[in-house]
Amino acid sequence: MENSMMISRLDGILPKEIKAFWETSVDSTNLSAVRLAQQTDAQMVLAIADEQTQGRGRRGRSWSSPMGQSLYMSLLLKRPPIKPENASMLTLVIGLSAVQCVRELTECSAQIKWPNDAVIGDKKICGILTEMRVDEDGIRHVVLGVGVNLNAGEFPEELKDRATSLYLKTGKKYDRAETAALLCRRFLENYHTFLKTQDMSGLLEEYNGALINLGRQVKVLDPRGEYTGTAGGITPRGELRVTRPDGKEEVIYAGEVSVRGLYGYV
Ligand code: BTN
């Protein structure tokens, strides 16, 4: 059911091209965005929920989504003018936007853990799950699902070491509607830059400037064999440059490989 009070709070602060829906309880906003997109001609659809009963994370993990505690949102782009092979970079675009949003809201020095986690210090503040559907005409839709840990006062034992919330960091509570609108505004600006070249070249400097991995030792979790190296910035296609101890440079692609710090998550 649409929550009209929360929707009216988005009025005037959400970019006009985005049609928003606010539901009380859904399985996953990534799934509800797809359902809701069928009810409107809008090209950009924002699904927000107070709670997710089957919140989903990357790599088949779940995303804990208790009622009213944090922001659970998915922005769906209908038939975006992007070639399917370029769409995976949108996950970096929304990751950068989330970091900018957190910085503006909190003045905390949020950073990006490649490719798209927003972190403060060595803990995750925001996770992103990007899903795409392609048909014979190209991309049917891309769904950018974002979970921002806003007002959680504690995390389960198994997450404590690598997750935090804006509340735990600043002692302040954050408004979900304002956070969602700000994130969407930053995303649209970055998206327009992205569309000019369909790659990260226009955002490269800003992205690399926010990249926590830059210059750090990372463990590359490559299915063909793990190795360690020093992370450089991203390439214009959003791949991470990693230099092995023998000086050989690898360029790693987020779909296949993830990275960790040598002693922890970052
Ligand atoms: C991750 O870091 O593993 C990605 C987490 C993504 C969570 C968000 S919450 C809103 C949207 N709906 C979902 O089911 N997942 C994403």
Side-chain angles (χ1 to χ4, degrees), residues 60-93:
R61 290 190 280 258
S62 61
W63 186 260
S64 163
S65 313
M67 177 60 83
Q69 192 180 74
S70 282
L71 176 62
Y72 321 118
M73 60 165 256
S74 299
L75 182 62
L76 181 145
L77 311 176
K78 257 186 220 172
R79 297 248 173 245
I82 299 173
K83 291 192 190 142
E85 61 269 28
N86 297 335
S88 64
M89 284 178 267
L90 286 176
T91 206
L92 282 78
V93 178

Side-chain angles (χ1 to χ4, degrees), residues 136-247:
E136 61 282 5
D137 298 322
I139 300 179
R140 191 181 161 117
H141 63 239
V142 174
V143 185
L144 304 165
V146 188
V148 188
N149 300 333
L150 290 183
N151 301 320
E154 56 180 7
F155 284 89
E157 203 52 44
E158 65 277 13
L159 291 178
K160 256 185 192 148
D161 288 348
R162 54 194 188 99
T164 190
S165 70
L166 297 190
Y167 173 64
L168 287 172
K169 278 286 163 196
T170 65
K172 294 184 199 153
K173 298 273 177 153
Y174 291 86
D175 185 83
R176 290 174 293 149
E178 270 173 34
T179 308
L182 178 58
L183 210 163
C184 287
R185 294 204 299 276
R186 292 297 159 266
F187 173 74
L188 279 200
E189 290 162 11
N190 293 327
Y191 181 52
H192 288 133
T193 304
F194 171 84
L195 284 181
K196 287 183 199 153
T197 53
Q198 292 217 13
D199 70 13
M200 293 298 288
S201 42
L203 299 167
L204 202 64
E205 209 172 302
E206 177 128 35
Y207 184 98
N208 283 337
L211 188 62
I212 194 162
N213 311 98
L214 194 70
R216 288 198 185 190
Q217 291 285 100
V218 289
K219 192 194 298 174
V220 179
L221 308 178
D222 188 322
R224 291 159 296 187
E226 284 183 24
Y227 58 93
T228 56
T230 308
I234 57 162
T235 68
R237 294 209 46 83
E239 301 131 329
L240 186 68
R241 298 181 198 276
V242 175
T243 306
R244 291 190 187 242
D246 64 3

